Amino acid sequence: MSNVSNNLYEFGDFTLNERERNLWRGDAVVQLPPKVFDTLLLLVKNAGSTVSKEEMLDQVWAGSFIEESNLSQNVYTLRQVLGRNEKFIETVPRRGYKFVKKVIVRELPDGSVTDRPEAQLHAPPTPAVAPREKSEVSHLRRFLAVAGIVSVWCIAAAFAFYRSDLAKSMPTETTVSLRSLTDTGEASSPTISPDGKLVAFLDRSGGRPSAKLMDVASGGIVEIKIDGNVVPSQLEFSADGSELFFRARGLWRSGRIVYRVPVFGGVPTEVVSDVWGAFGLSPDGQFLAFFREDTKANIDRLIIKNLKTGDERVIAELRSPEMFFILVPPAWSPDSKLLSVIKRPRSGERSEITTIDATTGESRAIRTELQKLFHMAWTPDGTSILALSKEPEKGRQLFRVAYPSGTVTRVTNDLNLYEGVSLSRDGRKVVTEVRNLTSNLWLMTANGREDERPLTTGKYGHYGLGDLKFATENRIIFDGRATVDRDLWSVAISDGSQVRLTENNGSRNSQVTATVNGEHLYVSSNRTGSESIWRIGQDGKKQTQITNAEGGESHWYPALSHDEKHLYFLARLSKGSEIRRISLTDMSVETIREIRDFSPQHFFQTSLDGKWLAFAYKTNEEETPDTDDFSNVPIRIGLIDLANPERMETFRIRSPRALIRFSATGESFDYIRDSSIVRQSIKQPDQEPEVIITVSGERIYNFDWSMAGTHAVVARGGYSSDLILIDLP
């Protein structure tokens, strides 16, 4: 008979079986590597008490010489598995770890427990909970067959992994070591010093985002006090490590100032203004590369600023429909001669890295087998680029792309979503951010929460982040990601059944609008290579192209007129844009306004009374964020009078997202502010908006109103981010 005690440990949604060495979440088994399971078991058995790192190393790796980074990686893995929305494991600085969740221990007798259900061992005093007893019996019996279940699960998982062509063909580097630097869920935007000894990052835990400096060896953290009311976003160390450069907080697709400040804080000095998106510093410390958009002419420019002379030079520009992916910083080669950038091609794949000669502007495309490329960093020898890329059924992972061949080697292989790549000068340390975002759909009422109920569930859901629309009173259209690409789905309110509407139809099918009867949907799609407007049947069938973007055009933001006789959309040209409408009767197209002095972006929305067409109004004029409002940024909303399209009104709102929805009367519009949906009067723009719906303890990402205006569908959920240090071989 085994000497291992036969205990069940219950905490949150989880149950751990010590004898059978398995972990369950509800009805599903959770696979853990042996040493990760041992780490969890040790913490759970000592719940409420601090377990020192030395004790954990001795018990989990008895008789082996193991670095502390292995323990950190195990704890990090457990936090990912258990979920970031609840706190299970607390780091006790300079001591160890503590399991803080309440644990219920149920001791089972030795021998066969198949006929000794848990409910009989701990029978409640009243029969009122009999249904729960039956559930517990079933739950316990599932544990008894765990060996076979885990075996089948492993085989299935291995088969699923084998089916991935990318996973089959791609070599993997030798084992890398991951170490968790923070566990607050409030750390982001990390950058590592050239010598690899310091990490600067943003800390949101105090409400106002503040810059912090961490000593990697000791874990000690100090605040970087930046004088004035400037709130930073992206951070990057100077080449000598004595200063930090940062972009002022605000929307990425808007112009902001980049400052420099001594590494331990002080008075910030302006470096360059009207910086759109992210920036990159050259390793020799002489240059800063950044993007700037000409919103009037639809031109993206890549600019290099000489930090000694102050001169600016355009080295590359793209005209619509091509664009730079400005969320990714321009990455400099180690000799400061080349820049690598990501373009947003018509296909939407983002499979190429473009290198640009910093002197001549000559460009070269490096084709890879990756999709949805993201942040990058050159290795010190200039033979490869570390890059993030999205994988099917996984998060965003780190890969090594050989230069100039484009051959790909996997660096990480987990389920995390990594954000940002900052590399030490010797190429041995990478600091990155791990993001955990959950968005589920909820049906809510305008006057309270009594009818509130979820339409989707899951701790790892990413539903409705881009598109969310009532198609009928019983059917909602939303976007979700099943593989790499986002697709459109519908969900029935009555029974929760879901239908996938787009699949293998290009990488972008978005900006959905629907007819009142729900028979037709209109979307912007790149399935033919250029962004055009398509009509889709309510079941995802009968897909018809409505506009044909040719000659360098791209068509965006379909919006139905109130009588559904016309469809408005934005036509982006190589020089400017036009607001057009197409007759859904004879398919004739007319331009209702040429755009030359601003740029409509993000969405089109028509009011139900047929008077207004709304959008996010963008110019190169900088909008300064409120220094006391850390959840929102300033956004301008443009409203065109459809009876007289040359007449337009603009509103300034504060919101985390450029999105509005008109109310049923057309006399007001709603938008997100903090964790609420608020209503702004059009006739009284100076009036404080009225709070319509509030969500406690979660973020609101998207919303829409039912046709009757009585219910809202709200995409809401949690968000956390922490820092990870990756030691490369």
Side-chain angles (χ1 to χ4, degrees), residues 399-417:
F399 299 87
R400 186 185 299 272
V401 179
Y403 176 78
S405 69
T407 303
V408 176
T409 304
R410 182 189 303 279
V411 178
T412 62
N413 188 19
D414 51 50
L415 300 178
N416 293 328
L417 191 154

Side-chain angles (χ1 to χ4, degrees), residues 467-485:
D467 283 274
L468 191 58
K469 184 73 176 176
F470 268 94
T472 67
E473 291 290 346
N474 182 51
R475 195 160 58 88
I476 293 168
I477 310 299
F478 65 96
D479 70 316
R481 176 170 281 155
T483 55
V484 173
D485 297 326

Side-chain angles (χ1 to χ4, degrees), residues 266-327:
V267 179
T269 302
E270 182 176 329
V271 177
V272 60
S273 61
D274 200 19
V275 174
W276 290 60
F279 66 90
L281 292 168
S282 63
D284 62 11
Q286 297 186 42
F287 304 102
L288 183 145
F290 65 95
F291 303 103
R292 181 175 290 156
E293 290 192 6
D294 185 335
T295 57
K296 300 177 183 179
N298 288 334
I299 299 175
D300 282 5
R301 295 186 173 96
L302 177 62
I303 301 173
I304 293 178
K305 184 180 181 70
N306 189 310
L307 296 177
K308 291 184 177 180
T309 67
D311 295 336
E312 294 183 10
R313 180 167 53 91
V314 178
I315 64 163
E317 68 175 34
L318 297 178
R319 292 180 177 270
S320 181
E322 285 194 301
M323 303 170 68
F324 288 115
F325 191 46
I326 65 174
L327 297 182

Side-chain angles (χ1 to χ4, degrees), residues 55 219 345 463 596 624:
E55 181 181 355
Y463 306 116
R596 295 293 179 265
T624 304

Side-chain angles (χ1 to χ4, degrees), residues 578-651:
E578 295 177 356
I579 297 177
R580 299 175 183 171
R581 69 179 176 188
I582 182 171
S583 169
L584 297 178
T585 303
D586 60 14
M587 308 309 289
S588 60
V589 180
E590 62 177 320
T591 298
I592 67 167
R593 178 162 177 166
E594 294 184 355
I595 307 298
R596 295 293 179 265
D597 52 350
F598 65 93
S599 175
Q601 293 189 11
H602 297 294
F603 68 93
F604 271 10
Q605 182 82 205
T606 53
S607 60
L608 298 182
D609 61 2
K611 183 175 182 180
W612 302 107
L613 175 68
F615 46 81
Y617 176 99
K618 288 290 185 72
T619 69
N620 282 82
E621 176 185 336
E622 180 170 325
E623 296 282 345
T624 304
D626 186 339
T627 56
D628 295 323
D629 186 353
F630 311 118
S631 301
N632 309 290
V633 293
I635 297 169
R636 293 180 74 182
I637 300 297
L639 271 64
I640 283 182
D641 186 339
L642 291 175
N644 179 16
E646 293 302 316
R647 175 177 174 262
M648 182 175 64
E649 296 187 15
T650 61
F651 292 78

Side-chain angles (χ1 to χ4, degrees), residues 136-384:
E136 289 178 345
V137 173
S138 175
H139 185 69
L140 178 60
R141 286 175 175 169
R142 280 190 294 267
F143 269 74
L144 305 177
V146 71
I149 293 174
V150 171
S151 299
V152 172
W153 191 96
C154 292
I155 293 171
F159 180 71
F161 186 77
Y162 177 81
R163 289 180 61 187
S164 168
D165 292 336
L166 186 63
K168 282 192 298 182
S169 62
M170 187 178 297
T172 302
E173 292 192 353
T174 55
T175 303
V176 297
S177 174
L178 279 72
R179 175 153 51 110
S180 179
L181 297 179
T182 65
D183 63 355
T184 64
E186 302 288 349
S188 63
S189 306
T191 179
I192 194 166
S193 61
D195 61 10
K197 295 181 179 180
L198 300 173
V199 170
F201 64 96
L202 296 180
D203 180 12
R204 304 185 306 273
S205 60
R208 176 190 176 99
S210 60
K212 297 291 182 68
L213 194 67
M214 173 188 289
D215 180 86
V216 174
S218 68
I221 298 175
V222 296
E223 182 176 357
I224 303 171
K225 295 186 177 181
I226 301 174
D227 295 346
N229 288 323
V230 182
V231 179
S233 56
Q234 178 198 357
L235 302 170
E236 187 168 345
F237 275 98
S238 61
D240 61 4
S242 66
E243 291 183 302
L244 278 172
F245 286 67
F246 66 89
R247 181 181 186 267
R249 185 176 67 93
L251 291 176
W252 287 108
R253 299 197 69 84
S254 61
R256 290 292 182 266
I257 296 174
V258 170
Y259 296 90
R260 65 198 306 171
V261 68
V263 71
F264 289 104
V267 179
T269 302
E270 182 176 329
V271 177
V272 60
S273 61
D274 200 19
V275 174
W276 290 60
F279 66 90
L281 292 168
S282 63
D284 62 11
Q286 297 186 42
F287 304 102
L288 183 145
F290 65 95
F291 303 103
R292 181 175 290 156
E293 290 192 6
D294 185 335
T295 57
K296 300 177 183 179
N298 288 334
I299 299 175
D300 282 5
R301 295 186 173 96
L302 177 62
I303 301 173
I304 293 178
K305 184 180 181 70
N306 189 310
L307 296 177
K308 291 184 177 180
T309 67
D311 295 336
E312 294 183 10
R313 180 167 53 91
V314 178
I315 64 163
E317 68 175 34
L318 297 178
R319 292 180 177 270
S320 181
E322 285 194 301
M323 303 170 68
F324 288 115
F325 191 46
I326 65 174
L327 297 182
V328 174
W332 289 85
S333 61
D335 58 7
S336 300
K337 293 182 178 180
L338 295 176
L339 280 165
S340 61
V341 297
I342 305 295
K343 294 180 180 179
R344 298 181 65 178
R346 289 188 173 193
S347 66
E349 290 182 353
R350 296 206 316 264
S351 297
E352 292 183 352
I353 298 175
T354 300
T355 60
I356 301 174
D357 190 295
T359 301
T360 66
E362 181 181 354
S363 65
R364 175 178 182 175
I366 304 173
R367 180 72 182 178
T368 76
E369 57 184 308
L370 301 173
Q371 297 184 56
K372 304 293 184 184
L373 282 162
F374 215 63
H375 291 87
M376 305 173 292
W378 285 76
T379 56
D381 59 6
T383 63
S384 62

